[in-house]
Amino acid sequence: MAIDLESEPPLRVGGAAIDPVSRQAKYAGGQERLQPQTLKVLVALARRRNEVVTRSELVDGCWDGKIIGDDVINRSILML
């Protein structure tokens, strides 16, 4: 299922409060604005906490099924 950041509700991940609409992540010690694709990956993983999310599912939900390399997914996860 494709992720639309404009319609995602705020969420908490660890000690961070994430607002998908503004792309702001607030945590103890600061805040940061996340890149849209990185935030989509975070939302996809947070939706399925404690479950395995395949690369194929990430591609479908975060990149609308476009063909991308593993390095793009790896980079997004590394940024998180």
Side-chain angles (χ1 to χ4, degrees):
M1 173 187 238
I3 296 172
D4 176 18
L5 295 177
E6 295 298 318
S7 64
E8 285 293 321
L11 63 139
R12 291 196 69 78
V13 177
I18 314 294
D19 178 17
V21 174
S22 70
R23 300 189 345 243
Q24 290 293 323
K26 295 180 182 177
Y27 49 89
Q31 66 179 15
E32 189 171 328
R33 187 155 193 217
L34 300 173
Q35 294 296 319
Q37 287 308 126
T38 303
L39 183 52
K40 286 182 179 183
V41 171
L42 179 60
V43 168
L45 296 174
R47 283 180 177 174
R48 307 247 320 262
R49 292 174 199 227
N50 301 319
E51 295 180 34
V52 173
V53 180
T54 67
R55 289 178 179 273
S56 177
E57 290 169 326
L58 288 175
V59 169
D60 288 343
C62 303
W63 285 274
D64 301 320
K66 293 177 185 154
I67 297 174
I68 59 165
D70 284 345
D71 59 320
V72 174
I73 297 170
N74 294 345
R75 196 171 327 125
S76 291
I77 292 172
L78 178 65
M79 294 300 295
L80 294 171

